[in-house]
Amino acid sequence: MIRVGVIGACGRMGQMVCRSVAEADDLRLVAAIDRSRIGQSIGPLIGHPEIDVPVSDELDRLLEAEVEVAVDFTHPDVVMDDVRWCISHAIHLVVGTTGVSQGGLAEIERLLEQEGDESNVVVAPNFALGAVLMQRFAAQAARYFPAVEVIELHHDQKADAPSGTSIATVRRLLNERGSAYRGPAEESIAGVRGGDVDGVRVHSVRLPGLVAHQEVIFGGPGQTLTIRHDSTDRASFMPGVLMAVRAVMTRPGLTVGLEPLLDLPPLP
């Protein structure tokens, strides 16, 4: 049994992670960290009243509960503080909070080395397996279609724009495409062409009713290619989260994204 603690346990994603951990045969929910509902048991909140795990706002509760793997679904403003704390206390960590920058990833690698690699970290901008495959397919297409734009659509409570998934997708596209491409920059209204992420236009839509969606549109002479993924329910993220929780203890150092955890052949 892997002893799991969830940071951001009372949020929408946090509750779902707690429930999924509680219902897994090989995992045990032993700690719930959040700034709300302090002192209340997380069990009734996730439909498992038999689980008596009080919500705490202190990360020290992870140590008291002998947590082996922590899962962070908090906020971009605080996620790096949680990462630093877990690494300094030798607790393995799965980060689902978006907004971890390239500089943040470099800091995580540095901290892990400084602490003697006593813990491991998985950072994934998207835990939906379909989203991972969408990025992989887009990377393959970028070799033949350098002209590309990304549209990402999320619910109106999402804290960052563009999304971490869209930024990760752009990085994959830039690594794979054969030549650079920049579309027209002229705008009669500022911003209408979207944001420029290293030369790739990214358009962010935020509306109630959406969950998480992204399409990558390629253009070429006389044709277009669209690769799209839709998460219509947050349940789509749970298999990936549990996969990361089970894998992080045996993957040394920092792992970025879920693709390294999947049994996928290397790109040709």
Side-chain angles (χ1 to χ4, degrees), residues 158-170:
K158 185 169 177 58
D160 57 330
S163 67
T165 300
S166 65
I167 293 174
T169 302
V170 168

Side-chain angles (χ1 to χ4, degrees), residues 60-115:
D60 286 342
R61 177 59 191 157
L62 300 176
L63 292 177
E64 296 168 0
E66 299 180 343
V67 165
E68 296 171 282
V69 177
V71 181
D72 188 292
F73 274 96
T74 55
H75 191 277
D77 292 343
V78 300
V79 61
M80 285 304 299
D81 290 337
D82 297 339
V83 171
R84 297 181 189 106
W85 190 95
C86 286
I87 292 175
S88 67
H89 291 84
I91 294 176
H92 302 295
L93 180 63
V94 173
V95 179
T97 305
T98 60
V100 178
S101 65
Q102 286 294 96
L105 295 176
E107 180 183 352
I108 292 172
E109 289 187 311
R110 184 172 64 253
L111 290 172
L112 289 171
E113 183 177 357
Q114 290 175 355
E115 294 295 331

Side-chain angles (χ1 to χ4, degrees), residues 139-162:
Q140 290 179 281
R143 300 178 181 184
Y144 309 101
F145 290 86
V148 60
E149 299 200 5
V150 178
I151 303 174
E152 56 95 353
L153 310 91
H154 286 80
H155 56 90
D156 59 346
Q157 299 301 308
K158 185 169 177 58
D160 57 330

